[in-house]
């Protein structure tokens, strides 16, 4: 794509490397001539305050960017690097710093990979047009499915299904296929084998037991410098950095991948949905930040997992469950994001308007599940997909929180958060804000689900079910009370969907007086939601 026209006084190509495009074989470097071309990288304080970004997320991006800058410089590449505290950078916002750099450097062409955020893409287009340099936006070959390919897959379908996309991706890339082209093991999907919870009884064998540790990385001098900068510049932002140990270089990312495949992937499938107190990582890969920063290529992740399966080191269910996330879901939601933006950002199918509870920023709640998920998020910048979907996301949907507020929180607190990956998961999966564009139902559940998948409820101030509340003398779990209110509020919508028809029937069967009580309890909970 090209916009604007190069001034006769302009020359050379300026490659803009965004913070999530840190790969040396980027298509944006094709034809790069070190004698006349340059690289531009920009740290902008405004990107940390656009949403109130947590400290671990800021450090991951800034440290990875600075390491990449140094790697480019070691290769003889001329890098114009705008650091966070540069006094003469044109302002705090990315758009101001980009305009300032373009005016000073006067390139003939500005080239970059497709941005991962609709907002940034518009900013860059406007900046290039304003200074009159040509703009080349290059297809991101880091991903397995281009935006054009996804558009062909999607066509004019009103609703998209990840499962059909996933099968097409496996066929096209020959992933986990038998010699006849059919799925390895005869099944495409091993989800039913990948929903185990850690045992709660007997006590002698309760819990996850010994879990192989993920590879963690002690901060080097560059990362320590960034940590000090973030502690000083963003002292009032949420999160802590005492335990920061994320990979911020390609070498570290490759090591993290190797350790996961060698020692953790075998048990990933069985327990990928399980939750347990003081177990922030479980058997999960912790590779999403490296993938989203382009430190890892999804092809090498796929190859490593498939080779482990074919060598007999890991079971098929674990390999398929993991690759489903990388080949299926990750690529699918990227396509959905670009197909549905900018409308996705404004979607609010359930007409939710309430503010985000304050404890999302502190973890100060008596609900153990929410406290655990938020506390580990603030400490590590991480929670796994079930904690995000079925704890923090579920509560936000049941509590009728405005989708944009929820999406901003997810974008702010997780080290792997880039908008193309975050927003569809929040708006589409967690909140049903898009009305089911690519999901078949709202993921509504009561405290009973959390009780089944975790040990959180045993030590909680609330009881997960009505029966447990009566027997334990505890108030009912807010998840459960608000779940019934959700069914009451959206009965007609649920009744019209075959996958949620039973939910509608369960609320329809309740007498009018009981439904009035459900509404009264929910109204009380929502009124004091910050104190739950």
């Amino acid at each position: 794509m090209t916009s604007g026209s190069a001034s006769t006084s302009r020359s050379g190509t300026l490659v803009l490397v965004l913070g999530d495009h840190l790969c040396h074989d980027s298509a944006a470097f094709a034809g790069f001539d070190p004698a006349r071309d340059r690289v531009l990288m920009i740290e902008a304080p405004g990107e940390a305050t656009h949403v109130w970004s947590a400290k671990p997320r800021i450090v991951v991006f800034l440290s990875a960017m600075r390491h990449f800058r140094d790697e480019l410089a070691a290769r003889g590449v001329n890098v114009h690097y705008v650091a966070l505290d540069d006094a003469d950078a044109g302002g705090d916002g990315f758009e101001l710093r980009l305009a300032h750099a373009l005016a000073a450097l006067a390139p003939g062409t500005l080239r970059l990979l497709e941005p991962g955020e609709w907002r940034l893409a518009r900013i860059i287009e406007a900046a290039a047009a304003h200074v009159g340099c040509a703009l080349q936006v290059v297809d991101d070959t880091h991903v397995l499915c281009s935006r054009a390919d996804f558009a062909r897959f999607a066509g004019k379908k009103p609703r998209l299904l990840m499962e059909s996309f996933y099968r097409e991706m496996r066929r096209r890339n020959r992933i986990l296929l038998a010699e006849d082209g059919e799925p390895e093991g005869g099944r495409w999907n091993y989800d039913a084998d990948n929903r185990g919870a850690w045992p709660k009884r007997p006590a002698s064998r309760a819990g996850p037991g010994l879990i192989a540790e993920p590879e963690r990385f002690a901060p080097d001098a560059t990362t320590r410098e960034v940590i000090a900068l973030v502690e000083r510049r963003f002292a009032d932002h949420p999160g802590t950095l005492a335990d920061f140990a994320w990979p911020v270089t390609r070498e570290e990312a490759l090591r993290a991948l190797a350790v996961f495949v060698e020692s953790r992937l075998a048990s990933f499938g069985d327990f990928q949905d399980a939750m347990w107190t003081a177990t922030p990582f479980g058997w999960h890969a912790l590779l999403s930040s490296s993938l989203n920063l382009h430190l890892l290529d999804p092809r090498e992740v796929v190859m490593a997992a498939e080779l482990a399966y074919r060598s007999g080191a890991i079971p098929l269910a674990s390999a398929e469950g993991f690759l489903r996330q990388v080949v299926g879901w990750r690529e699918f939601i990227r396509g959905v994001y670009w197909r549905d933006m900018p409308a996705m950002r404004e979607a609010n199918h359930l007409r939710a308007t309430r503010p985000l509870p304050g404890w999302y920023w502190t973890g100060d709640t008596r609900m153990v599940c929410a406290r655990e998920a938020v506390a580990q998020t603030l400490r590590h910048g991480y929670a796994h997909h079930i904690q995000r979907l079925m704890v923090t996301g579920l509560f936000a949907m049941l509590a009728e929180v405005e989708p944009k507020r929820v999406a901003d929180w997810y974008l702010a607190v997780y080290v792997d958060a880039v908008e193309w990956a975050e927003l569809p998961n929040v708006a589409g999966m967690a909140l049903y804000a898009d009305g089911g564009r690519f999901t078949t139902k709202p993921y509504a559940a009561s405290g009973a689900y959390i009780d089944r998948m975790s040990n959180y409820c045993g030590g909680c101030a609330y009881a997960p079910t009505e029966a447990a509340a009566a027997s334990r003398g505890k108030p009912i779990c807010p998840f459960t009370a608000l779940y019934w209110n959700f069914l009451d509020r959206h009965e007609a919508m649920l009744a019209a969907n075959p996958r949620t028809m039973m939910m509608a029937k369960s609320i329809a069967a309740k007498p009018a007086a009981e439904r009035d009580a459900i509404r009264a309890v929910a109204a009380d909970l929502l009124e004091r939601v910050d104190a739950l």
Side-chain angles (χ1 to χ4, degrees):
M1 179 176 67
T2 302
S3 68
S5 59
S7 165
T8 55
S9 63
R10 298 180 178 276
S11 64
T13 295
L14 183 65
V15 176
L16 175 62
V17 175
L18 300 176
D20 57 346
H21 288 163
L22 307 180
C23 54
H24 291 285
D25 60 354
S26 164
F29 289 127
F32 187 87
D33 181 358
R36 64 191 301 270
D37 299 334
R38 290 167 289 183
V39 165
L40 171 63
M41 299 180 71
I42 299 173
E43 296 176 0
E47 291 302 293
T49 56
H50 165 65
V51 293
W52 196 35
S53 293
K55 294 173 183 177
R57 179 175 185 259
I58 303 173
V59 171
V60 161
F61 275 84
L62 295 188
S63 180
M65 289 174 67
R66 292 186 179 197
H67 280 94
F68 190 72
R69 169 202 64 191
D70 294 345
E71 292 168 8
L72 288 174
R75 295 184 176 194
V77 175
N78 183 352
V79 182
H80 183 85
Y81 196 89
V82 182
L84 195 79
D85 280 347
D86 282 356
D88 184 25
D92 280 355
F94 179 84
E95 63 276 23
L96 296 174
R97 292 187 165 208
L98 175 60
H100 186 77
L102 291 178
L105 299 173
T109 299
L110 179 67
R111 181 192 297 156
L112 72 154
L113 287 187
E114 301 165 310
E117 184 175 339
W118 190 88
R119 173 187 66 96
L120 274 183
R122 304 291 83 76
I123 286 172
I124 294 164
E125 288 171 3
H130 179 72
V131 300
C133 74
L135 175 64
Q136 294 179 354
V137 179
V138 182
D139 285 354
D140 188 356
T141 55
H142 170 86
V143 296
L144 296 170
C145 182
S146 70
R147 288 164 59 177
D149 282 345
F150 189 87
R152 283 189 286 271
F153 161 79
K156 296 183 178 180
K157 303 183 187 77
R159 176 168 292 174
L160 302 173
L161 293 179
M162 194 279 284
E163 184 65 29
S164 57
F165 172 81
Y166 168 62
R167 295 182 185 189
E168 181 177 313
M169 289 294 291
R170 277 182 57 185
R171 287 192 180 100
R172 183 194 305 173
N173 295 282
R174 297 206 57 78
I175 296 169
L176 279 184
L177 296 183
E179 290 185 3
D180 62 0
E182 292 302 304
E184 189 72 23
R187 291 161 53 190
W188 290 103
N189 188 322
Y190 287 82
D191 268 1
D193 300 327
N194 290 336
R195 295 173 179 164
W198 286 308
K200 300 178 187 177
R201 298 182 183 84
S204 61
R205 295 199 302 275
L210 294 176
I211 299 177
E213 288 293 318
E215 190 76 349
R216 307 287 279 160
F217 302 92
D220 65 4
T222 298
T223 302
R224 291 195 301 271
E225 181 182 74
V226 170
I227 287 173
L229 171 63
V230 170
E231 292 282 27
R232 181 181 74 252
R233 184 69 185 263
F234 304 107
D236 63 336
H237 281 231
T240 60
L241 294 170
D243 299 307
F244 186 89
W246 290 100
V248 291
T249 67
R250 174 157 170 78
E251 181 181 4
E252 290 177 344
L254 287 169
R255 176 62 184 160
L257 170 62
V259 170
F260 169 67
V261 173
E262 291 166 6
S263 63
R264 296 165 57 76
L265 178 53
S267 295
F268 167 80
D270 288 344
F271 302 115
Q272 63 176 290
D273 288 2
M275 299 176 284
W276 203 263
T277 52
T279 308
F281 305 128
W283 293 99
H284 285 264
L286 312 188
L287 298 175
S288 54
S289 64
S290 296
L291 279 164
N292 292 350
L293 293 178
H294 287 37
L295 299 177
L296 286 177
D297 189 293
R299 295 164 186 82
E300 60 198 354
V301 175
V302 168
M303 182 181 297
E306 183 159 7
L307 285 174
Y309 160 69
R310 296 201 180 281
S311 71
I314 63 171
L316 179 57
S318 283
E320 190 278 323
F322 174 64
L323 292 177
R324 170 179 291 270
Q325 304 301 317
V326 178
V327 177
W329 194 249
R330 183 173 183 272
E331 298 280 336
F332 179 76
I333 62 166
R334 179 179 183 271
V336 169
Y337 174 83
W338 287 109
R339 184 186 190 225
D340 286 0
M341 282 296 285
M344 180 184 290
R345 171 71 179 162
E346 305 299 324
N348 192 356
H349 181 73
L350 299 180
R351 297 183 176 86
T353 58
R354 295 181 181 273
L356 189 75
W359 48 258
Y360 272 75
W361 298 106
T362 65
D364 186 15
T365 171
R366 292 180 294 161
M367 295 180 288
V368 171
C369 60
R371 184 169 71 233
E372 285 281 321
V374 172
Q376 75 175 56
T377 293
L378 296 176
R379 180 178 177 184
H380 299 294
Y382 174 82
H384 72 64
H385 65 280
I386 293 299
Q387 292 172 312
R388 299 190 201 193
L389 175 63
M390 300 305 295
V391 179
T392 51
L394 172 61
F395 189 88
M397 182 177 73
L398 299 180
E400 304 166 12
V401 180
E402 184 182 11
K404 284 196 288 190
R405 297 174 188 258
V406 186
D408 284 351
W409 181 79
Y410 277 92
L411 187 60
V413 297
Y414 291 113
V415 296
D416 58 2
V418 289
E419 193 177 72
W420 69 258
E422 170 269 326
L423 184 57
N425 275 305
V426 175
M429 282 288 287
L431 304 182
Y432 204 67
D434 64 354
R437 290 277 282 146
F438 61 93
T439 55
T440 57
K441 65 174 183 176
Y443 282 85
S446 70
Y449 171 84
I450 296 171
D451 189 31
R452 183 166 69 253
M453 298 305 300
S454 75
N455 72 331
Y456 294 154
C457 300
C460 189
Y462 302 99
T465 64
E466 290 88 344
S471 65
R472 301 175 194 175
K474 293 182 177 182
I476 190 69
C477 171
F479 280 85
T480 300
L482 294 176
Y483 167 76
W484 284 109
N485 184 65
F486 180 87
L487 302 192
D488 176 75
R489 188 173 180 226
H490 300 291
E491 180 184 357
M493 177 190 74
L494 299 171
N497 184 339
R499 295 206 65 195
T500 55
M501 193 178 298
M502 292 305 298
M503 292 181 180
K505 288 181 178 179
S506 66
I507 189 66
K510 292 188 178 295
E514 189 171 348
R515 293 183 71 158
D516 287 342
I518 286 170
R519 296 172 194 136
V521 169
D524 174 64
L525 291 173
L526 294 174
E527 182 67 25
R528 54 186 182 89
V529 68
D530 283 322
L532 294 179

